[in-house]
Amino acid sequence: MAEAVGNNTLKKLIKIDVVSDTVCPWCFVGKRNLDKAIDLTKDQYDFEIKWHAYFLNPNAPKEGINKREYYENKFGLQSDHIINRMTQVFRGLGLEYNMSGLTGNTLDSHRLIYFAGQRGLDKQHNLVEELFLGYFTQGKYIGDREFLLECARKVDVEGAADFLEDPNNGLKEVNEQFEKNSESITGVPDYTINGKWKINGGQPPHVFQRAFEAAANGGA
């Protein structure tokens, strides 16, 4: 899905750059809505999707911390309201929002996403789905090496174990993405369509569809 879909030369190409963090629930919501918009318009357009790194908490511990305790410490009295709201939103997508397990540093997940992108944008897009599913619905820890490799295997990203073994692999590229994105955006998810049209937040499918139409009519 992430690479150009279809061979009809009459279709216009829609390029989508997504800035996201793997522990951002609205990033998963946005991805599911983006995927639905793509599915609804795949007969009209070809699509190319690239994922770029953002860190909501760059200093999050690598060893991980209890997810629910982190929410309570960060959001205080609002934490239960936020969790209930996300539970409702996820159920609307046919998913169960799981607050069990750990949260923490997302650097290795972004290094893996970068690596998957070198193997193919379709694999990168599918990897992001697996990471979101595991973290948000199965209580998996985003910093757990075995979980990351399990996701890589599911989407046929070969060589992931060797790549992640060296902590310097992908580090420069991911940090450059974060620095660049930090200068231009204030939150995630953030979408740029054909380098020009901007969408922020976990918007519903029709918002993406309108952006596709504008991009196709207005050029890159």
Side-chain angles (χ1 to χ4, degrees):
M1 179 183 293
E3 291 182 329
V5 178
N7 297 311
N8 186 344
T9 56
L10 297 178
K11 292 184 183 180
K12 291 189 176 181
L13 178 63
I14 305 295
K15 294 185 177 182
I16 307 171
D17 288 281
V18 188
V19 181
S20 163
D21 197 2
T22 46
V23 293
C24 162
W26 286 108
C27 294
F28 191 15
V29 173
K31 181 190 177 298
R32 281 299 183 94
N33 288 338
L34 171 63
D35 286 344
K36 184 174 182 180
I38 288 173
D39 188 58
L40 291 170
T41 57
K42 61 186 177 183
D43 292 336
Q44 299 172 256
Y45 314 116
D46 289 331
F47 295 92
E48 179 183 281
I49 307 171
K50 295 180 181 178
W51 289 81
H52 306 272
Y54 192 86
F55 298 111
L56 288 173
N57 184 5
N59 299 316
K62 188 173 179 63
E63 63 273 15
I65 55 178
N66 182 275
K67 192 185 296 184
R68 185 173 288 275
E69 289 181 5
Y70 175 77
Y71 265 63
E72 291 172 350
N73 291 334
K74 181 176 182 179
F75 301 112
L77 296 176
Q78 290 295 313
S79 62
D80 285 343
H81 172 73
I82 292 171
I83 292 170
N84 290 337
R85 169 61 175 153
M86 292 314 306
T87 298
Q88 293 174 0
V89 171
F90 270 58
R91 283 179 180 167
L93 297 172
L95 301 167
E96 284 297 321
Y97 191 59
N98 189 327
M99 281 298 296
S100 67
L102 304 176
T103 189
N105 196 284
T106 60
L107 174 60
D108 281 353
S109 68
H110 286 299
R111 290 172 57 223
L112 182 59
I113 291 170
Y114 164 77
F115 178 69
Q118 305 305 300
R119 296 296 185 266
L121 296 181
D122 56 339
K123 292 185 177 183
Q124 183 186 61
H125 192 68
N126 293 335
L127 173 69
V128 171
E129 175 73 15
E130 292 298 332
L131 293 171
F132 280 150
L133 271 176
Y135 177 76
F136 288 112
T137 71
Q138 301 164 13
K140 302 287 188 178
Y141 173 42
I142 201 66
D144 179 66
R145 180 65 55 86
E146 285 306 311
F147 167 58
L148 297 178
L149 295 180
E150 176 189 351
C151 291
R153 287 191 293 269
K154 285 182 177 180
V155 299
D156 196 28
V157 175
E158 298 180 357
D162 290 339
F163 181 84
L164 289 178
E165 187 65 28
D166 185 343
N168 291 315
N169 284 339
L171 182 63
K172 176 176 178 289
E173 291 83 357
V174 167
N175 282 334
E176 286 178 349
Q177 288 179 14
F178 174 57
E179 290 173 7
K180 177 183 177 182
N181 295 329
S182 297
E183 294 173 356
S184 58
I185 66 173
T186 57
V188 288
D190 182 89
Y191 308 85
T192 303
I193 314 296
N194 281 9
K196 183 175 180 181
W197 283 265
K198 300 284 288 186
I199 297 175
N200 303 104
Q203 300 293 339
H206 69 85
V207 174
F208 289 105
Q209 289 177 260
R210 286 204 301 263
F212 299 162
E213 183 177 0
N217 293 334

